[in-house]
Amino acid sequence: MQDTQIIKTTTWSPGPGCHGNCGVLAHVKDGRLVKVEGDPEHPWSQGRLCPRVLSMTQYAYHPDRLTKPLKRVGERGEGRWEEISWEEAFDLLEQKLGRIKEEYGPESVLFIQGTGRDIGGWIRLLAHSYGSPNVVYGLSGVACYTPRLMSMWLTQGDFCVQDAAQWLPERYEHPSYEVPECIIVWGQTIQATCPDGFFAHWIVDLMKKGTQIMVIDPRYSWFAARSKHWLQIRPGTDGALAMGFLNVILNEELYDTEFVEKWTNAPFLVRSDRNELLRESDLKSEGDSAKLVAWDSYTQDLCIWDPDRAQYAPSTAKPELEGRFEVTLKEGSSVQCHTVWSALKQRAGEYTPDRVSETTWIPPEKIKECARFYAKSKPAGIHWGLPIDTVPGTTYVGQAISHLWCVTGNLDVPGSNVIARYPFDVITYPYYSKGSGLVSLSAEQQQKRIGTWKYKAMRDFRDWGHPDTALEQIFTEDPYPIKGAWIQTSNPIAGLGMDPKKWHEALKKLDFVAVTDLFLTPTAMIADLVLPAATFLEKDSLKGWWVPLQSINKAISVPECKSDIEINLELAKRFRPDLPWSNVQEMFDDLLKPSGLTYQELRDKEWVMPPAGHPTAPYRRYEQGLLRQNQKPGFTTPSGKIELHSSWLEYWGLDPMPHHEEPPYSPVSTPELYDQYPLILTTGRRRSVYFHAEHRMIPWLREQEPDPLVEIHPDTAESLGIKEGDWVVIENWLGRCKQKARLTPVIHSDVVMAAHGWWFPEKAGEEPSLFGVWDVNINQLIPMGCNGQTGHGSPLKNMLCKIYKETDHV
Amino acid sequence: MSEYGILVDYEYCTACHACEVACKQEYKRPAGKHAGVKVIEEVHQFPGGGMDVVNYPLFTKGCNMCRPRTKKGLMPSCVQHCMAACLEFGRLEELAKKMGQKKRISLWRP
C-alpha cells in the first residue's frame, strides 16, 4: 500500500449529490480511486461519511457513466447516439445556440439547474456570457429553500440557520458556544441527507449533549420517537401552527420584551387606513420616506427613526410598543395609526389554539404546551424543511416561523438561529441578487427575465427566471418564444419537474436541448447533445456554503469527463472570447479576493473559518454594527430593524404580515375532490442512500431500497385490501403512477407518503419507456403553475389521491 | 483480539447505512450479500398505541472488527464513518463500564 496516495478534498454534488462540505480522504493508487474515507480532522464532519460518499468507487467507475460527448443521430428519444469529441461538441453548441440567439435573441434559451449543486455560479456565467437572463431552477415555485431564504431576508435582511457551532473550529467545546435547550425539527427527515449547508447529524450530537427535540411531522419519524413533543400535523398547515405558536407567545407574554423593543420595528406606526408604515414624508413635505415614525411615551409625541443613523429623534425617545394614535398628516388631515406590535398581536389573536387545532389536526393543549416549551427554552433553535416551501402561501409560513425566533430573541445568539453569510463574503453559490454574477447582464436583458413582470418578488429577490411561467412560455411563446434549453445536472422528467409529461412535451417542442450529466437519465434521453460531467473527486472547485471556506481538490481523472465549471467556462468563452480567465483557477482567484487568499493558498490551508468579529462569523453582530454596511447597529433590512411588518411585502402590494393560507387541494378547499380522492398525498421524503433522482444505479445503495415505496397506514391498507409489498396505483385527477406498498403505523391513516425521484436505470432508456419513469414518477400527480402571490411555493407535499391495488406488476 | 468489542448506542442509530457501505467498501463485498454489519430498521408497537422507531446495527459472522485497521491504530471502518457516532470500538471491560451508564445500548463481540 506504500504507493497509495491520500488526497484531501471536500464533497459537493456530483457523486453524493448533496450540498456537501464533508472532509474526504481519497485513496488513490496508480491514478485510480481505491477507497474513500472520512477526514477525522475535518471540523464539519469529523471523519464521518454517508453511504453515498462511501460508494464513490462504484460511482466514479460505473460502467454506465458517461465518458464522451454524445450527439443524437436518430429521432429525439430514440436512444441512438454518436460519440463525438469535446471540440465537436463545443462547435455544435456554438452553432446551435448561436443560431437561436441570432434568430430570436439570447433570452430564448433557458439555462436549467437543479438543487444546490456546484453549478449555481457557473451556469450563470454561461447564461450571462451568452446573453440570457433565464437561469431557471426548474422546481415549481422554486419550492426548495429559496422561499425560506426570501422570508428571512424580508424579515432580517440576512439568512439564519440552526447554530451547531459550525463556525467554531473547536465546535461544541468552544467556550462561546451554548448547547440549545430545545430544537424544533420542523418537517424534515433531516438525518437522511444534509440540507442547505447543514450536517444533519449535528442535531444528534446535540441531543447527546442534552438538547430536547420538538418534532412537527405527519409521520412518527425517528426524531419524533426521541422527542419531548411530537405534533402530527396535517400536511400543508404549518403556517397555521406557526401563527398558533405566535398567538400563545404573544398572549402569554413569553416574548423577549427588551429584544422586541430595541431591535424590531414593533413600535413603528402603521397607517390604519392603508395598512402601510407611517413615514416622515407623510408628516411633512420635506420629510424623508426612508424614516419611520413611532410614538414617544416620554414626550407623548411622535418621534422619528432614522435608519442611516440608527437612532430616534429625539434621541431620548422611549417608543410605545402598543397603542393606537391619531396623527396629523402634512395635508392637515388626520389619520388613525397603530403600532406594528398591536397589529401583530391582533393578527396572531385570530389564530387561537382551538382554531389552529381544527386546521392542523393538533390538539389545542398540545399547541399551547409546545409554544411555551419553545419560548421558555434558552437558547432555542428551529431547523426547518421543505414543507415550509411547498405551499402557495410559503412566504408567510417562512415569515411566521422567522418571527418566532425574532420575538423570542433566539437570533444570532449561541445555540439559536444564527445569521449565516458567505464566509469572508466569498460567493461560490449566489443566493440572492446582489453579487450574483461573474459576468453582468445589461438592464435591458435583465428585464426579459421570465416572470419578473408577473411577480415583483421574483424580480427583486434572487435573479432566477420563474420556472412555472418559463414552462408555460414554451407553449405560449408569449411575450417571446423559447427555443432552446441547456440543462445542467438536472433531471426534470424524473425528479425536479412537476407535471413531468408537460416538461417532456415542452422539451420535445424545443429546437435544441443540451444536457450535462454523469449518466444517461430520462431527461438526457430526449436531448440533442449530452455532455459527460465530472464527480467532485475529478474536479477543482471551491466551497463556502455556509462555512468553512474550502477548496475541492481533484484526486482522480475519468477519461474525457469535464467538471461543470470547465464546461461552463469553455462554452462561455465561445460567446464571450474576452472573458479574462484562461482557466478555472484564475476565476477562483478572482472570486476569493474578499478573503485575501489565492486559490493555491486556500488549497494549502484546506479550509478556513472567519474569526469572531468578522461580519461573516457569529455572534450578536447586530449589537456591534457588524451586519450593516454603514457599521451602525441593527440589521440589513431597509429600516435597519427586524421587520415584523415587512416593508418589502408592503412595497410589492402584498400583505405585510404573516398569515395562513389553506393548501389549494385539501379536505377544506376542495371537498368535492376529497370525496373522490380521500387520502392526502405527501412526497419528497429522503432516504440516505438516494439523493432525489440519483443513485439508483449504484449497487451498494440500491440494495437498501430496490423499489419505490409508498407508506400507508395498516388500517387504511386493510380497508383497501392492500398488503405489504403489493404494487399499488396512486392516482388523482392529474395522473397516476405505481409504487410498492409499505405498511407502517408511523404515517397518519389519512395520509400516504410516496417516494420521489424514481426511474430504473436497468430498464430500456429509449422512448416511450425512458427507463420506466412514467410507471413510478409521483410528480405526475402534482401540478405546475400553482404558486403563491410571490411566485414562490407549490403544493408538492399536500395533494389528494386515491390508492388501489394493481394486479398488473410494473 | 477477543478482548475487544463494539459498543452500539442504538438509541442514536438513524439507519443511514453508512456502516454497511463502509464495511463493503473496506472489504470489497458485493451488493446483495451481507458484510460485517447490517442495520435492521424496526417500528415497535406496544399495547395502548405506543410506538418506537429503532434501528439496530447487527454485527455478523463476517465482522473481523477491522483487525487490519486497528493494528494500524485506525478505527474500524464502520465506527469511523458512523454518521450518528453511535458505535465505539474498545476493550470489552471499558465498554462494559460505559454500558452501565446508559440505556438502549448493546455490546457486540462478533
mmCIF file of all heavy atoms in Angstrom, chain A residues 35-38 47-49 51 54 201 208 220 222 226 687-688 699-700 703-704, chain B residues 11 13-14 16-18 20 24-26 29 32 41 51 53 69 80-81 83-85:
data_model
loop_
_atom_site.group_PDB
_atom_site.id
_atom_site.type_symbol
_atom_site.label_atom_id
_atom_site.label_comp_id
_atom_site.label_asym_id
_atom_site.label_seq_id
_atom_site.Cartn_x
_atom_site.Cartn_y
_atom_site.Cartn_z
ATOM 1 N N LYS A 35 -10.449 3.822 -2.574
ATOM 2 C CA LYS A 35 -11.253 3.903 -1.359
ATOM 3 C C LYS A 35 -11.488 5.364 -1.004
ATOM 4 O O LYS A 35 -10.685 6.224 -1.345
ATOM 5 C CB LYS A 35 -10.511 3.207 -0.209
ATOM 6 C CG LYS A 35 -11.336 3.022 1.028
ATOM 7 C CD LYS A 35 -10.749 2.009 1.993
ATOM 8 C CE LYS A 35 -9.473 2.479 2.655
ATOM 9 N NZ LYS A 35 -9.088 1.635 3.788
ATOM 10 N N VAL A 36 -12.589 5.598 -0.326
ATOM 11 C CA VAL A 36 -12.871 6.934 0.186
ATOM 12 C C VAL A 36 -13.069 6.830 1.688
ATOM 13 O O VAL A 36 -13.805 5.971 2.156
ATOM 14 C CB VAL A 36 -14.139 7.503 -0.480
ATOM 15 C CG1 VAL A 36 -14.623 8.731 0.257
ATOM 16 C CG2 VAL A 36 -13.889 7.830 -1.933
ATOM 17 N N GLU A 37 -12.386 7.682 2.431
ATOM 18 C CA GLU A 37 -12.574 7.699 3.881
ATOM 19 C C GLU A 37 -12.908 9.105 4.348
ATOM 20 O O GLU A 37 -12.571 10.086 3.689
ATOM 21 C CB GLU A 37 -11.280 7.261 4.590
ATOM 22 C CG GLU A 37 -10.923 5.832 4.332
ATOM 23 C CD GLU A 37 -10.598 5.065 5.602
ATOM 24 O OE1 GLU A 37 -10.612 5.664 6.690
ATOM 25 O OE2 GLU A 37 -10.326 3.862 5.488
ATOM 26 N N GLY A 38 -13.530 9.185 5.508
ATOM 27 C CA GLY A 38 -13.786 10.491 6.107
ATOM 28 C C GLY A 38 -12.507 11.043 6.718
ATOM 29 O O GLY A 38 -11.652 10.282 7.165
ATOM 30 N N GLY A 47 -14.729 13.119 10.311
ATOM 31 C CA GLY A 47 -14.414 11.737 9.939
ATOM 32 C C GLY A 47 -15.606 10.925 9.475
ATOM 33 O O GLY A 47 -15.449 9.832 8.953
ATOM 34 N N ARG A 48 -16.803 11.463 9.686
ATOM 35 C CA ARG A 48 -17.997 10.707 9.296
ATOM 36 C C ARG A 48 -18.254 10.857 7.797
ATOM 37 O O ARG A 48 -17.898 11.862 7.196
ATOM 38 C CB ARG A 48 -19.192 11.251 10.078
ATOM 39 C CG ARG A 48 -18.979 11.167 11.562
ATOM 40 C CD ARG A 48 -20.152 11.747 12.317
ATOM 41 N NE ARG A 48 -19.923 13.108 12.755
ATOM 42 C CZ ARG A 48 -20.722 13.755 13.606
ATOM 43 N NH1 ARG A 48 -21.797 13.166 14.074
ATOM 44 N NH2 ARG A 48 -20.458 14.982 13.982
ATOM 45 N N LEU A 49 -18.893 9.872 7.233
ATOM 46 C CA LEU A 49 -19.304 9.984 5.832
ATOM 47 C C LEU A 49 -20.589 9.199 5.621
ATOM 48 O O LEU A 49 -20.817 8.166 6.249
ATOM 49 C CB LEU A 49 -18.241 9.425 4.885
ATOM 50 C CG LEU A 49 -17.044 10.298 4.534
ATOM 51 C CD1 LEU A 49 -16.176 9.580 3.519
ATOM 52 C CD2 LEU A 49 -17.443 11.674 4.006
ATOM 53 N N PRO A 51 -23.423 6.993 3.218
ATOM 54 C CA PRO A 51 -23.237 5.868 2.298
ATOM 55 C C PRO A 51 -23.035 6.291 0.844
ATOM 56 O O PRO A 51 -22.407 5.565 0.078
ATOM 57 C CB PRO A 51 -24.542 5.063 2.452
ATOM 58 C CG PRO A 51 -25.529 5.994 3.049
ATOM 59 C CD PRO A 51 -24.732 6.941 3.889
ATOM 60 N N LEU A 54 -19.388 7.025 0.522
ATOM 61 C CA LEU A 54 -18.636 5.771 0.683
ATOM 62 C C LEU A 54 -18.777 4.853 -0.536
ATOM 63 O O LEU A 54 -18.035 3.881 -0.673
ATOM 64 C CB LEU A 54 -19.093 5.054 1.964
ATOM 65 C CG LEU A 54 -18.676 5.758 3.267
ATOM 66 C CD1 LEU A 54 -19.469 5.219 4.453
ATOM 67 C CD2 LEU A 54 -17.179 5.611 3.522
ATOM 68 N N HIS A 201 -26.497 15.267 11.229
ATOM 69 C CA HIS A 201 -26.252 14.570 12.491
ATOM 70 C C HIS A 201 -25.694 15.463 13.593
ATOM 71 O O HIS A 201 -25.531 15.015 14.715
ATOM 72 C CB HIS A 201 -25.371 13.340 12.245
ATOM 73 C CG HIS A 201 -26.162 12.196 11.658
ATOM 74 N ND1 HIS A 201 -26.497 12.143 10.328
ATOM 75 C CD2 HIS A 201 -26.714 11.092 12.236
ATOM 76 C CE1 HIS A 201 -27.211 11.046 10.104
ATOM 77 N NE2 HIS A 201 -27.357 10.391 11.231
ATOM 78 N N LYS A 208 -27.313 14.265 22.257
ATOM 79 C CA LYS A 208 -26.475 13.568 23.233
ATOM 80 C C LYS A 208 -25.977 14.531 24.315
ATOM 81 O O LYS A 208 -25.628 14.123 25.406
ATOM 82 C CB LYS A 208 -25.262 12.935 22.542
ATOM 83 C CG LYS A 208 -25.619 11.789 21.623
ATOM 84 C CD LYS A 208 -24.355 11.227 20.994
ATOM 85 C CE LYS A 208 -24.667 10.248 19.897
ATOM 86 N NZ LYS A 208 -23.462 9.872 19.133
ATOM 87 N N TYR A 220 -44.551 9.687 12.357
ATOM 88 C CA TYR A 220 -43.834 9.447 13.606
ATOM 89 C C TYR A 220 -42.413 9.064 13.200
ATOM 90 O O TYR A 220 -42.086 7.899 13.002
ATOM 91 C CB TYR A 220 -44.516 8.329 14.386
ATOM 92 C CG TYR A 220 -43.996 8.134 15.790
ATOM 93 C CD1 TYR A 220 -44.178 9.114 16.760
ATOM 94 C CD2 TYR A 220 -43.336 6.967 16.148
ATOM 95 C CE1 TYR A 220 -43.705 8.933 18.050
ATOM 96 C CE2 TYR A 220 -42.862 6.773 17.442
ATOM 97 C CZ TYR A 220 -43.049 7.765 18.386
ATOM 98 O OH TYR A 220 -42.578 7.579 19.665
ATOM 99 N N TRP A 222 -38.058 9.168 13.131
ATOM 100 C CA TRP A 222 -37.007 8.781 14.069
ATOM 101 C C TRP A 222 -36.844 9.852 15.154
ATOM 102 O O TRP A 222 -36.754 9.558 16.338
ATOM 103 C CB TRP A 222 -35.698 8.590 13.299
ATOM 104 C CG TRP A 222 -34.548 8.118 14.143
ATOM 105 C CD1 TRP A 222 -34.197 6.825 14.401
ATOM 106 C CD2 TRP A 222 -33.598 8.938 14.853
ATOM 107 N NE1 TRP A 222 -33.094 6.790 15.220
ATOM 108 C CE2 TRP A 222 -32.708 8.070 15.513
ATOM 109 C CE3 TRP A 222 -33.420 10.316 14.989
ATOM 110 C CZ2 TRP A 222 -31.646 8.540 16.293
ATOM 111 C CZ3 TRP A 222 -32.369 10.794 15.770
ATOM 112 C CH2 TRP A 222 -31.499 9.899 16.407
ATOM 113 N N ARG A 226 -37.859 10.191 19.541
ATOM 114 C CA ARG A 226 -36.912 10.640 20.570
ATOM 115 C C ARG A 226 -37.209 12.058 21.046
ATOM 116 O O ARG A 226 -36.372 12.702 21.661
ATOM 117 C CB ARG A 226 -35.487 10.576 19.993
ATOM 118 C CG ARG A 226 -34.981 9.155 19.922
ATOM 119 C CD ARG A 226 -34.034 8.914 18.764
ATOM 120 N NE ARG A 226 -33.741 7.495 18.665
ATOM 121 C CZ ARG A 226 -34.561 6.611 18.092
ATOM 122 N NH1 ARG A 226 -35.715 6.998 17.565
ATOM 123 N NH2 ARG A 226 -34.246 5.327 18.045
ATOM 124 N N ARG A 687 -34.214 9.379 1.594
ATOM 125 C CA ARG A 687 -33.544 8.195 2.131
ATOM 126 C C ARG A 687 -32.060 8.486 2.036
ATOM 127 O O ARG A 687 -31.604 9.120 1.089
ATOM 128 C CB ARG A 687 -33.884 6.964 1.284
ATOM 129 C CG ARG A 687 -35.337 6.572 1.348
ATOM 130 C CD ARG A 687 -35.709 5.971 2.666
ATOM 131 N NE ARG A 687 -34.946 4.759 2.929
ATOM 132 C CZ ARG A 687 -35.061 4.017 4.030
ATOM 133 N NH1 ARG A 687 -35.914 4.381 4.968
ATOM 134 N NH2 ARG A 687 -34.355 2.933 4.194
ATOM 135 N N SER A 688 -31.285 7.971 2.991
ATOM 136 C CA SER A 688 -29.868 8.312 3.000
ATOM 137 C C SER A 688 -29.118 7.745 1.790
ATOM 138 O O SER A 688 -28.055 8.224 1.442
ATOM 139 C CB SER A 688 -29.217 7.800 4.284
ATOM 140 O OG SER A 688 -29.273 6.395 4.318
ATOM 141 N N PRO A 699 -24.920 -0.141 -6.932
ATOM 142 C CA PRO A 699 -25.350 -1.388 -6.270
ATOM 143 C C PRO A 699 -25.403 -1.313 -4.741
ATOM 144 O O PRO A 699 -26.376 -1.783 -4.140
ATOM 145 C CB PRO A 699 -24.302 -2.406 -6.735
ATOM 146 C CG PRO A 699 -23.775 -1.856 -8.022
ATOM 147 C CD PRO A 699 -23.826 -0.365 -7.889
ATOM 148 N N TRP A 700 -24.379 -0.727 -4.094
ATOM 149 C CA TRP A 700 -24.377 -0.685 -2.622
ATOM 150 C C TRP A 700 -25.524 0.165 -2.075
ATOM 151 O O TRP A 700 -25.889 0.041 -0.907
ATOM 152 C CB TRP A 700 -23.045 -0.128 -2.104
ATOM 153 C CG TRP A 700 -21.909 -1.103 -2.174
ATOM 154 C CD1 TRP A 700 -21.994 -2.466 -2.165
ATOM 155 C CD2 TRP A 700 -20.516 -0.784 -2.247
ATOM 156 N NE1 TRP A 700 -20.742 -3.008 -2.225
ATOM 157 C CE2 TRP A 700 -19.805 -2.007 -2.278
ATOM 158 C CE3 TRP A 700 -19.800 0.405 -2.291
ATOM 159 C CZ2 TRP A 700 -18.413 -2.058 -2.350
ATOM 160 C CZ3 TRP A 700 -18.414 0.359 -2.363
ATOM 161 C CH2 TRP A 700 -17.726 -0.868 -2.389
ATOM 162 N N GLU A 703 -29.366 -1.643 -3.176
ATOM 163 C CA GLU A 703 -29.774 -2.842 -2.428
ATOM 164 C C GLU A 703 -30.535 -2.473 -1.143
ATOM 165 O O GLU A 703 -31.302 -3.270 -0.626
ATOM 166 C CB GLU A 703 -28.570 -3.723 -2.102
ATOM 167 C CG GLU A 703 -27.620 -3.131 -1.080
ATOM 168 C CD GLU A 703 -26.597 -4.149 -0.570
ATOM 169 O OE1 GLU A 703 -26.918 -5.337 -0.513
ATOM 170 O OE2 GLU A 703 -25.463 -3.732 -0.257
ATOM 171 N N GLN A 704 -30.317 -1.275 -0.653
ATOM 172 C CA GLN A 704 -31.009 -0.872 0.579
ATOM 173 C C GLN A 704 -32.492 -0.603 0.355
ATOM 174 O O GLN A 704 -33.292 -0.743 1.269
ATOM 175 C CB GLN A 704 -30.355 0.384 1.174
ATOM 176 C CG GLN A 704 -28.932 0.191 1.637
ATOM 177 C CD GLN A 704 -28.828 -0.706 2.863
ATOM 178 O OE1 GLN A 704 -29.812 -1.011 3.509
ATOM 179 N NE2 GLN A 704 -27.614 -1.156 3.161
ATOM 180 N N GLU B 11 -29.771 3.767 20.557
ATOM 181 C CA GLU B 11 -30.740 4.860 20.682
ATOM 182 C C GLU B 11 -30.530 5.885 19.562
ATOM 183 O O GLU B 11 -31.468 6.506 19.083
ATOM 184 C CB GLU B 11 -30.570 5.556 22.041
ATOM 185 C CG GLU B 11 -31.544 6.712 22.205
ATOM 186 C CD GLU B 11 -31.451 7.408 23.551
ATOM 187 O OE1 GLU B 11 -30.587 7.024 24.370
ATOM 188 O OE2 GLU B 11 -32.244 8.321 23.775
ATOM 189 N N CYS B 13 -28.857 5.356 16.515
ATOM 190 C CA CYS B 13 -28.659 4.892 15.132
ATOM 191 C C CYS B 13 -29.812 5.404 14.273
ATOM 192 O O CYS B 13 -30.971 5.140 14.554
ATOM 193 C CB CYS B 13 -28.602 3.366 15.065
ATOM 194 S SG CYS B 13 -28.574 2.770 13.350
ATOM 195 N N THR B 14 -29.481 6.162 13.209
ATOM 196 C CA THR B 14 -30.509 6.755 12.362
ATOM 197 C C THR B 14 -30.752 5.952 11.083
ATOM 198 O O THR B 14 -31.446 6.409 10.191
ATOM 199 C CB THR B 14 -30.130 8.194 11.967
ATOM 200 O OG1 THR B 14 -28.904 8.144 11.237
ATOM 201 C CG2 THR B 14 -29.963 9.083 13.181
ATOM 202 N N CYS B 16 -28.682 5.270 8.628
ATOM 203 C CA CYS B 16 -28.120 5.890 7.417
ATOM 204 C C CYS B 16 -27.411 4.848 6.569
ATOM 205 O O CYS B 16 -27.128 5.082 5.410
ATOM 206 C CB CYS B 16 -27.181 7.032 7.773
ATOM 207 S SG CYS B 16 -25.587 6.502 8.428
ATOM 208 N N HIS B 17 -27.093 3.696 7.174
ATOM 209 C CA HIS B 17 -26.444 2.574 6.486
ATOM 210 C C HIS B 17 -25.000 2.866 6.081
ATOM 211 O O HIS B 17 -24.430 2.144 5.263
ATOM 212 C CB HIS B 17 -27.269 2.098 5.280
ATOM 213 C CG HIS B 17 -28.649 1.635 5.661
ATOM 214 N ND1 HIS B 17 -28.896 0.372 6.144
ATOM 215 C CD2 HIS B 17 -29.841 2.276 5.676
ATOM 216 C CE1 HIS B 17 -30.203 0.260 6.415
ATOM 217 N NE2 HIS B 17 -30.795 1.402 6.154
ATOM 218 N N ALA B 18 -24.412 3.925 6.630
ATOM 219 C CA ALA B 18 -23.003 4.215 6.326
ATOM 220 C C ALA B 18 -22.110 3.058 6.786
ATOM 221 O O ALA B 18 -21.140 2.709 6.110
ATOM 222 C CB ALA B 18 -22.566 5.512 6.989
ATOM 223 N N GLU B 20 -22.699 -0.115 6.880
ATOM 224 C CA GLU B 20 -22.737 -1.244 5.940
ATOM 225 C C GLU B 20 -21.890 -0.962 4.704
ATOM 226 O O GLU B 20 -21.131 -1.814 4.244
ATOM 227 C CB GLU B 20 -24.181 -1.508 5.499
ATOM 228 C CG GLU B 20 -25.040 -2.091 6.591
ATOM 229 C CD GLU B 20 -26.496 -2.186 6.150
ATOM 230 O OE1 GLU B 20 -26.780 -2.842 5.141
ATOM 231 O OE2 GLU B 20 -27.343 -1.574 6.822
ATOM 232 N N LYS B 24 -18.497 -2.733 3.309
ATOM 233 C CA LYS B 24 -18.420 -3.330 1.970
ATOM 234 C C LYS B 24 -17.294 -2.709 1.149
ATOM 235 O O LYS B 24 -16.637 -3.388 0.371
ATOM 236 C CB LYS B 24 -19.757 -3.157 1.255
ATOM 237 C CG LYS B 24 -20.821 -4.033 1.883
ATOM 238 C CD LYS B 24 -22.061 -4.152 1.065
ATOM 239 C CE LYS B 24 -22.949 -5.211 1.736
ATOM 240 N NZ LYS B 24 -24.115 -5.547 0.941
ATOM 241 N N GLN B 25 -17.102 -1.407 1.340
ATOM 242 C CA GLN B 25 -16.001 -0.743 0.633
ATOM 243 C C GLN B 25 -14.663 -1.282 1.131
ATOM 244 O O GLN B 25 -13.780 -1.627 0.341
ATOM 245 C CB GLN B 25 -16.078 0.767 0.852
ATOM 246 C CG GLN B 25 -14.964 1.479 0.119
ATOM 247 C CD GLN B 25 -14.799 2.941 0.464
ATOM 248 O OE1 GLN B 25 -14.667 3.754 -0.419
ATOM 249 N NE2 GLN B 25 -14.782 3.273 1.739
ATOM 250 N N GLU B 26 -14.525 -1.381 2.446
ATOM 251 C CA GLU B 26 -13.255 -1.788 3.047
ATOM 252 C C GLU B 26 -12.848 -3.179 2.570
ATOM 253 O O GLU B 26 -11.688 -3.439 2.281
ATOM 254 C CB GLU B 26 -13.386 -1.772 4.579
ATOM 255 C CG GLU B 26 -12.094 -1.986 5.345
ATOM 256 C CD GLU B 26 -11.158 -0.789 5.278
ATOM 257 O OE1 GLU B 26 -11.623 0.340 5.095
ATOM 258 O OE2 GLU B 26 -9.927 -1.005 5.393
ATOM 259 N N ARG B 29 -16.905 -6.079 -0.627
ATOM 260 C CA ARG B 29 -18.006 -7.041 -0.621
ATOM 261 C C ARG B 29 -19.077 -6.588 -1.624
ATOM 262 O O ARG B 29 -19.358 -5.385 -1.712
ATOM 263 C CB ARG B 29 -18.625 -7.156 0.777
ATOM 264 C CG ARG B 29 -17.663 -7.675 1.838
ATOM 265 C CD ARG B 29 -17.421 -9.178 1.691
ATOM 266 N NE ARG B 29 -16.636 -9.673 2.810
ATOM 267 C CZ ARG B 29 -15.323 -9.892 2.760
ATOM 268 N NH1 ARG B 29 -14.635 -9.649 1.661
ATOM 269 N NH2 ARG B 29 -14.687 -10.362 3.817
ATOM 270 N N GLY B 32 -25.959 -7.211 -2.321
ATOM 271 C CA GLY B 32 -26.766 -8.432 -2.334
ATOM 272 C C GLY B 32 -26.306 -9.463 -1.320
ATOM 273 O O GLY B 32 -26.989 -10.447 -1.065
ATOM 274 N N GLU B 41 -34.113 -2.017 10.557
ATOM 275 C CA GLU B 41 -34.993 -0.895 10.900
ATOM 276 C C GLU B 41 -36.304 -1.443 11.448
ATOM 277 O O GLU B 41 -36.972 -2.219 10.781
ATOM 278 C CB GLU B 41 -35.276 -0.036 9.659
ATOM 279 C CG GLU B 41 -34.010 0.539 9.033
ATOM 280 C CD GLU B 41 -34.272 1.379 7.785
ATOM 281 O OE1 GLU B 41 -35.310 2.047 7.712
ATOM 282 O OE2 GLU B 41 -33.423 1.344 6.873
ATOM 283 N N MET B 51 -45.537 3.664 20.368
ATOM 284 C CA MET B 51 -44.681 3.198 19.270
ATOM 285 C C MET B 51 -43.231 3.575 19.552
ATOM 286 O O MET B 51 -42.948 4.489 20.324
ATOM 287 C CB MET B 51 -45.075 3.898 17.965
ATOM 288 C CG MET B 51 -46.223 3.263 17.226
ATOM 289 S SD MET B 51 -46.329 3.959 15.567
ATOM 290 C CE MET B 51 -47.018 5.559 15.876
ATOM 291 N N VAL B 53 -39.483 3.876 17.119
ATOM 292 C CA VAL B 53 -38.762 3.688 15.856
ATOM 293 C C VAL B 53 -37.307 3.447 16.246
ATOM 294 O O VAL B 53 -36.658 4.339 16.796
ATOM 295 C CB VAL B 53 -38.874 4.948 14.971
ATOM 296 C CG1 VAL B 53 -38.071 4.786 13.687
ATOM 297 C CG2 VAL B 53 -40.334 5.252 14.653
ATOM 298 N N ARG B 69 -7.143 -2.744 10.281
ATOM 299 C CA ARG B 69 -7.153 -1.296 10.531
ATOM 300 C C ARG B 69 -6.723 -0.983 11.964
ATOM 301 O O ARG B 69 -5.912 -0.081 12.188
ATOM 302 C CB ARG B 69 -8.557 -0.717 10.307
ATOM 303 C CG ARG B 69 -8.977 -0.615 8.870
ATOM 304 C CD ARG B 69 -10.417 -0.137 8.762
ATOM 305 N NE ARG B 69 -10.583 1.234 9.239
ATOM 306 C CZ ARG B 69 -10.586 2.316 8.457
ATOM 307 N NH1 ARG B 69 -10.457 2.180 7.147
ATOM 308 N NH2 ARG B 69 -10.731 3.527 8.965
ATOM 309 N N GLN B 80 -15.599 4.522 12.403
ATOM 310 C CA GLN B 80 -15.118 5.832 11.963
ATOM 311 C C GLN B 80 -16.188 6.597 11.194
ATOM 312 O O GLN B 80 -16.323 7.799 11.337
ATOM 313 C CB GLN B 80 -13.882 5.646 11.081
ATOM 314 C CG GLN B 80 -13.828 6.647 9.953
ATOM 315 C CD GLN B 80 -12.517 7.341 9.785
ATOM 316 O OE1 GLN B 80 -11.458 6.800 10.065
ATOM 317 N NE2 GLN B 80 -12.587 8.550 9.312
ATOM 318 N N HIS B 81 -16.947 5.896 10.333
ATOM 319 C CA HIS B 81 -17.838 6.626 9.426
ATOM 320 C C HIS B 81 -19.247 6.818 9.952
ATOM 321 O O HIS B 81 -20.010 7.583 9.370
ATOM 322 C CB HIS B 81 -17.843 5.936 8.055
ATOM 323 C CG HIS B 81 -16.528 6.060 7.360
ATOM 324 N ND1 HIS B 81 -15.675 4.991 7.185
ATOM 325 C CD2 HIS B 81 -15.883 7.140 6.849
ATOM 326 C CE1 HIS B 81 -14.568 5.409 6.579
ATOM 327 N NE2 HIS B 81 -14.670 6.709 6.364
ATOM 328 N N MET B 83 -22.444 8.041 10.972
ATOM 329 C CA MET B 83 -22.881 9.444 10.944
ATOM 330 C C MET B 83 -23.376 9.901 12.312
ATOM 331 O O MET B 83 -23.234 11.067 12.676
ATOM 332 C CB MET B 83 -23.991 9.624 9.907
ATOM 333 C CG MET B 83 -23.539 9.411 8.475
ATOM 334 S SD MET B 83 -22.603 10.803 7.812
ATOM 335 C CE MET B 83 -23.925 11.868 7.259
ATOM 336 N N ALA B 84 -23.993 8.985 13.051
ATOM 337 C CA ALA B 84 -24.546 9.335 14.359
ATOM 338 C C ALA B 84 -23.511 9.179 15.469
ATOM 339 O O ALA B 84 -23.803 9.444 16.631
ATOM 340 C CB ALA B 84 -25.762 8.476 14.660
ATOM 341 N N ALA B 85 -22.298 8.729 15.112
ATOM 342 C CA ALA B 85 -21.248 8.465 16.096
ATOM 343 C C ALA B 85 -21.794 7.613 17.244
ATOM 344 O O ALA B 85 -21.575 7.916 18.416
ATOM 345 C CB ALA B 85 -20.652 9.781 16.606
#
